[in-house]
Amino acid sequence: MLSVKAPTAIPKLQDYDISPLTGFLPPEGPLRRLPGTYFEPWEDIMDQISALLLCGRFRARVNKLEILDVDRLVNLREQQRAFVVLCFLSHAYVWGKNEPISQSLPPCLAVPIVKVSEQLGINPIGCNASQVVWNWRLMDPSEPISLDNIGALHTFTGSTDEAWFYLVTVGIEAHGGRALAAMVNSMTAVREGDEARVACCLQDIDSSIQDINRTLKTMYDKCDPYLFYWKIRPYLAGWENMSEAGLPHGVLYQGVDARDQFRQYAGGSAGQSSLIQAFDIALGIAHYPTSDQWRCIKDEEKRRAAQGLPKTKPSHTTYLYGMRSHMPGLHRRFLEDLTKAANLRPYVDSVQGDCARWYNRCVAGLKKFRDLHIQIVTRYIVLPARKGPSIGSFSFGTSHPDALSDSEAPSTEKANAPSRLQVKVKTSDVPEDPLKSPRLRASSPTSKSGDILYPQLMHADRIGHPIASQPPLGEHGIAKTLLDPSSEIIRGTGGTDLMPFLKQVRDETTDSLIRP
Ligand code: HEM
């Protein structure tokens, strides 16, 4: 007998700690401090994190902590706050400042971070949730979330550039409320065959994407690419593929794992934003593994076949899918349930008309987001990596006058670079920097030397020229995306093969446009 499958329920936002007003951001704002005195020792260190790093006392202070019991946290907001605190403390502990990196986390950090991560269903390492989603506050609580009414709760460096880097993403996430509500409404409207309502929801999604794109462009206003690359990004790095930075095995979570069981996790990235993945899912945009990932998949498939296990699904092997383990469990579950219920694209394809027009506007908007993002990655990672440590600061402060135009984005490159460890970026793929200045160029005497591979080993002489210092590799090793000018290879920080990956994702977005 044929069994008729009941249609999958359309997810209700409130079941997943999602607000129709603020999306994945907690609508009342994240908890700013854990209540009571028990967790005060953590909060006291958080109050002074950048000062303690600067004066070299951070690790000593942390080492005096006792192991606190996270079972004392009484609700979700407290668990989220504890997670933020423990992620900041752990990254600061591992990467330090002007001191040898640490290949292990002490039990006072490792034990509670592993436990609270299990409670939240997320990996025990810094991520978009700890740096962005649960790391902001309203300056005037009577006003809504907007870039001129939010502040970051914590930064590593104490700099406004770092705060802005997080806050722009908060601003983007805030547009998610309206978009997520429209996504689930559109799915209900499809089931009811209500074409006009579907078109209306798509219009709402489109307008949220336009808002997101406007917000993304403000990154240039108050976050200096040079400071981002050399001072901020190192703290965001994870412990996966970090041999060059001094973490050949990853990080040992003392008091949790056996003495030789190091853990490897990718670091924080807005690639872990549940919102952007929700757009892909709702609009039916499919992503595929990069060519190098396919090689790994083939090996994995061989292994599974040898063990008589079923094949894995291609979508479950992409970088974007992998990033879901760095999302809060409830948000990840939302994406899974949204995937099961997604019905928009085939419906729009069948009815065409206004629905198709608005659908295509949404896809074009998301493609625009990815173009803008590629320009940002070029400006904030590729160019600083090429230029070396003494290029000085880019000018900023007005609305991205120096933003690369769409046509200046790096040219399409075959998506066949090795995944994770290495990225080849041809010099010709990187747009000429519109801010090129003979003075800045002249002040990079060592940028042609291999020293740039380990920029953290460089200090400036009295007139600002970088000179290499001598500590062995890994001693002061902090993660960077690294460029070896002789081989023109940029090595990733454990994330992706940057440009080929980002372009592939962008092109896959365009592929889903509906043809009449
Ligand atoms: C200075 C600013 C930024 C830099 C340097 C940057 C860098 C990167 C890099 C290197 C990746 C590749 C994956 C990885 O290794 O993590 C990535 C992916 C990604 N980033 Fe950013 N990012 C920035 C800002 C943002 C913002 C504000 C958003 C907004 C949510 C965002 C959303 C994404 C998404 C969604 C991906 C996954 C690829 C995709 O879906 O297109 N990024 N980013």
Side-chain angles (χ1 to χ4, degrees):
M1 202 174 75
L2 261 176
S3 68
V4 182
K5 229 174 135 189
T8 318
I10 292 176
K12 294 193 184 77
L13 299 183
Q14 66 271 22
D15 294 345
Y16 303 85
D17 194 28
I18 303 173
S19 150
L21 294 176
T22 55
F24 294 102
L25 306 175
E28 72 284 15
L31 205 59
R32 288 163 65 170
R33 230 182 147 80
L34 289 167
T37 52
Y38 181 73
F39 291 104
E40 236 169 43
W42 290 356
E43 296 287 4
D44 286 348
I45 301 183
M46 283 298 273
D47 287 340
Q48 322 167 56
I49 190 166
S50 45
L52 286 168
L53 279 166
L54 195 59
C55 70
R57 288 169 181 256
F58 178 80
R59 286 199 193 131
R61 273 293 294 274
V62 168
N63 288 337
K64 286 189 196 143
L65 288 172
E66 288 177 10
I67 301 176
L68 301 183
D69 181 6
V70 293
D71 280 341
R72 290 196 179 214
L73 302 164
V74 298
N75 58 37
L76 187 61
R77 294 286 172 257
E78 289 191 11
Q79 290 170 338
Q80 292 168 349
R81 170 68 193 164
F83 181 71
V84 170
V85 168
L86 292 163
C87 287
F88 268 88
L89 297 183
S90 298
H91 278 247
Y93 194 94
V94 167
W95 295 118
K97 188 173 178 71
N98 300 327
E99 62 193 322
I101 59 155
S102 171
Q103 298 192 50
S104 63
L105 284 175
C108 61
L109 294 181
V111 171
I113 197 176
V114 167
K115 196 158 182 190
V116 81
S117 305
E118 281 166 8
Q119 291 166 347
L120 292 168
I122 194 167
N123 283 336
I125 186 159
C127 57
N128 189 57
S130 66
Q131 289 147 10
V132 171
V133 178
W134 302 327
N135 185 33
W136 58 276
R137 67 189 172 112
L138 286 174
M139 304 310 290
D140 179 348
S142 66
E143 301 264 332
I145 305 180
S146 66
L147 277 181
D148 53 12
N149 190 34
I150 47 176
L153 292 178
H154 301 286
T155 61
F156 293 99
T157 59
S159 69
T160 50
D161 298 73
E162 185 182 348
W164 192 248
F165 171 69
Y166 301 145
L167 291 174
V168 170
T169 319
V170 175
I172 286 173
E173 293 285 347
H175 296 303
R178 184 178 173 199
L180 292 162
M183 285 177 208
V184 291
N185 283 342
S186 68
M187 289 178 186
T188 310
V190 166
R191 289 207 181 161
E192 292 166 1
D194 188 341
E195 207 177 316
R197 202 167 126 218
V198 173
C200 217
C201 293
L202 283 164
Q203 213 171 330
D204 267 357
I205 298 175
D206 170 58
S207 129
S208 308
I209 296 174
Q210 309 295 335
D211 288 340
I212 286 172
N213 290 349
R214 268 189 291 278
T215 309
L216 183 62
K217 288 184 202 167
T218 64
M219 185 63 78
Y220 300 99
D221 293 358
K222 297 177 193 170
C223 181
D224 182 335
Y226 177 89
L227 292 181
F228 171 79
Y229 182 76
W230 295 99
K231 303 285 181 192
I232 300 165
R233 190 163 189 255
Y235 284 111
L236 313 182
W239 5 111
E240 188 179 50
N241 299 328
M242 283 292 157
S243 300
E244 287 95 342
L247 296 178
H249 313 292
V251 165
L252 181 67
Y253 286 59
Q254 286 179 15
V256 181
D257 300 322
R259 278 172 61 189
D260 56 350
Q261 274 187 328
F262 287 72
R263 295 187 186 216
Q264 299 203 353
Y265 298 113
S269 156
Q272 297 154 349
S273 159
S274 309
L275 178 61
I276 308 299
Q277 293 211 17
F279 281 117
D280 282 336
I281 293 168
L283 296 171
I285 297 169
H287 295 295
Y288 299 93
T290 56
S291 56
D292 191 61
Q293 281 171 323
W294 275 116
R295 277 194 288 280
C296 299
I297 292 161
K298 277 192 199 139
D299 292 346
E300 172 66 8
E301 290 307 342
K302 270 189 213 155
R303 191 190 65 78
R304 293 177 75 85
Q307 294 178 3
L309 297 168
K311 287 187 167 191
T312 46
K313 290 187 190 167
S315 66
H316 288 197
T317 52
T318 60
Y319 164 84
L320 291 176
Y321 189 84
M323 282 299 108
R324 291 194 193 172
S325 60
H326 295 270
M327 293 176 190
L330 281 170
H331 297 172
R332 181 172 58 252
R333 213 161 308 137
F334 172 74
L335 296 185
E336 284 158 10
D337 293 347
L338 196 70
T339 308
K340 289 183 206 144
N343 54 11
L344 210 46
R345 193 173 189 282
Y347 176 80
V348 171
D349 199 17
S350 68
V351 298
Q352 294 282 332
D354 267 0
C355 284
R357 263 190 297 282
W358 283 111
Y359 174 92
N360 279 348
R361 276 191 61 133
C362 293
V363 172
L366 208 54
K367 189 247 179 203
K368 174 81 183 165
F369 168 84
R370 291 190 156 123
D371 278 335
L372 293 168
H373 180 261
I374 287 173
Q375 291 167 14
I376 286 183
V377 173
T378 304
R379 177 55 56 84
Y380 283 78
I381 297 180
V382 177
L383 291 176
R386 276 184 64 203
K387 291 197 162 194
S390 68
I391 56 170
S393 172
F394 287 91
S395 64
F396 65 103
T398 52
S399 193
H400 59 91
D402 52 336
L404 305 170
S405 70
D406 287 0
S407 57
E408 287 173 307
S411 61
T412 305
E413 195 179 335
K414 269 169 89 185
N416 60 356
S419 163
R420 288 170 176 267
L421 270 174
Q422 294 192 326
V423 184
K424 285 189 182 174
V425 175
K426 286 186 243 133
T427 312
S428 58
D429 283 340
V430 179
E432 190 58 27
D433 177 14
L435 293 175
K436 64 185 169 202
S437 134
R439 184 185 63 78
L440 298 181
R441 289 242 164 119
S443 67
S444 282
T446 57
S447 62
K448 286 271 177 279
S449 86
D451 294 333
I452 192 176
L453 276 171
Y454 304 100
Q456 61 282 7
L457 303 185
M458 309 200 65
H459 302 295
D461 67 14
R462 272 186 297 163
I463 53 168
H465 292 161
I467 48 172
S469 57
Q470 297 308 318
L473 279 187
E475 262 214 3
H476 291 174
I478 256 189
K480 297 276 195 296
T481 295
L482 303 167
L483 177 77
D484 175 349
S486 57
S487 60
E488 293 186 339
I489 284 175
I490 284 189
R491 301 180 194 196
T493 56
T496 57
D497 42 358
L498 304 181
M499 285 305 167
F501 162 69
L502 293 174
K503 287 173 189 165
Q504 179 176 327
V505 174
R506 189 257 326 262
D507 295 344
E508 287 162 352
T509 308
T510 319
D511 287 347
S512 76
L513 283 169
I514 285 182
R515 323 261 166 219

